[in-house]
Structure formats: structure tokens, C-alpha cells
Amino acid sequence: MESPLLQLPGAVPADAPDQEIAAHYGEPAQEQRALEAGTAFVDRGNRGVVRVSGPDRLRWLHSLLSQHLERLAPGEPTQALLLGPNGHVEHHLHLVDDGETTWAHVEPGTAPALTEFLDKMRFMLRVEVEDVSDAYAVVTVPESAEVTAAAPVMPDVTGTARIIERGALPALPGTLRPAGIWAYEALRIAAHRPRFGLDTDHRAIPHEMGWIESAVHLEKGCYRGQETVARVHNLGRPPRRLVFLHLDGSVDRLPAHGDPVEIPGGRTVGFVGSAARHHELGPVALALVKRNVPVDAELLAGGVAAAQEVVVSPETGANAKIELRRTAANRT
């Protein structure tokens, strides 16, 4: 559903998967600074919104998702993953309960599949699942913003994420400046926060992405994919790891999503997830690379020279000895 804010002066549509909202409104760098300063909002109305109601909702979601939800307090935001049988991430949910209903927002286009799966798992429990993306939209606003929301606030990369009625989007600007998704994505990447579907592929597991602390509870009961989570946590060494890349600022382009990440000699060791231009750091990106790539190895991301910064340790895990590898030239 195309956002009505694309009709604002200067609005330029973003590329997929965000083509239904604005990349920017004519001044990308200034919008990013305003967003970081708390004087701007971001329309993220292309995200899916799923509503789960009924007295059994938290116990039921607890049994299906990676997070401990059985005793989730009203207004307490959290994240959770829906994993496949082999532990691969199928959905990443940002959710909050208001005491009567659990609200979740997910990546664009994924709400129908998530709703369909959840609906099949209801059995005789007292729960109702609805994809309400047509009626509600996600916006990122400063913490102090007075916005009427359908659900309690959720922390975001900057400010808070709020679920509002979609009809309220045109009136949202008010005293706040609109900032496009380019501004939001630059701050997200700089904060080392991966985005499902951009920084992941069909084989991604929670440990590779650094989601263990934010979206997985390691002491809860059984759920689909738990065996993989437990094995990697106990033994360490996931196959790949998320890295933050400082890109060569002299190049006039950004690597594209899916571009290969290579080490000198041309060997491919991973792929680029998302990239952006940060107003202070310059061009930056997130990438998923093989675990055994030395942490100080110089890389090429889509042909652009890149220095890496560790996000997920190559030795992550409960019983692993964390000792970051260095290249032979730097061992002394």
C-alpha cells in the first residue's frame, strides 16, 4: 500500500523492499541529522502489522517463538524469531502486549505468510490472529512526540516505533520534519542492527546475526529450531558472522544488496546485506561473512574496498574461548 506521504513535496520513492515509502524528501543528509537530533519522524508504513488477541495468546506465542513471552508484562517491548525446523530464521518480530492484545510489526510483505502459519497453529486455543497491515502503520518518532498509538511504544534505532491508524499518516508531519527511509537505514546500519531479508538469507541462524541477546531466550522450553540454537550456543562457532564495513569513501557508489564480499585474491567469503551513506561515518554496510575470515582482513564489498568491524565474534557461544583471529603479519 503506497504511503500518502509520497505526495509530500520532494518525496522520492525508495527501492525494494521499501518502494511504497519515501527514500528521502529532497535533503537526505539533513533528514538524517534531524532524525538523530530527535526533530524528525520516519514513515515505515510498508511494514506488516499482526495482531494477536485472546486469553491464551502469550502462552501460545511462547510455545512457537524464540522469546520468553509467557509472562510478558503489558507495555514491555521485546523481539522474537520464528525459526524453521533446522533453526533458520523465517520471521523477525518486534512485539509488545497491551494487556489484552499482542501487537507485532514485521518486514514488508511478510505479514500474510506469518499470519497464515500462526493461524494453522491455533488448534483449540483461545487466540485470534489478524493481519491488520491495511488498517495500521508503523512510524518512528522522537520519544517526546505526542502521537496517538494503538499499542504501547517500542524502542527503535532512534526514538520510538509506534503503531498508529493508517488514516492518521497524512496529519503526522505537524511540527516534525519527515525523514526518508535512507536516513533511518543509515542509523540502523551504524548501530549494527541487521534487518531480516536484507542482511539475512534463507540459511541465516540467530547466532550469526547477533540476535541471541535481543530475540532469543536461552532458558525457555521447546520451540521449533531450538536444537540448532542450543547446539551453536553450547559448542560455539556458527558458520558465518555479521560484520560492519567501513567502505572506501572515494568510490561514488555503494555496493548493492547481495554483492559478493571477497578477500584479496578474489575468493568470495560472504555477501553484502545493506549499505548506506552515514552523515558522519561516510559509506557503511553490513555483511555476512564466513566465520574463519580474519577479523582484520581487508575486504572488497561489491568491488569497493572495505575495512571490517566485528559485530559477531567468530568464537561466539557459551563455552567458546573468545580470541579474535589476527592475520600472520599482525601477530607479535
Side-chain angles (χ1 to χ4, degrees), residues 117-171:
F117 172 81
L118 293 176
D119 198 53
K120 290 179 180 178
M121 302 302 292
R122 289 189 303 133
F123 303 114
M124 299 299 291
L125 294 175
R126 298 169 296 171
V127 292
E128 295 292 335
V129 185
E130 303 171 87
D131 176 359
V132 294
S133 306
D134 288 346
Y136 295 93
V138 179
V139 294
T140 293
V141 298
E143 292 184 15
S144 59
E146 296 182 2
V147 176
T148 301
V153 301
M154 290 177 262
D156 209 337
V157 171
T158 179
T160 59
R162 308 194 192 183
I163 297 174
I164 67 171
E165 291 186 1
R166 188 167 290 277
L169 271 174

Side-chain angles (χ1 to χ4, degrees), residues 265-284:
R267 182 165 66 92
T268 297
V269 294
F271 69 90
V272 176
S274 44
R277 297 187 185 278
H278 191 275
H279 69 99
E280 290 183 342
L281 301 176
V284 294

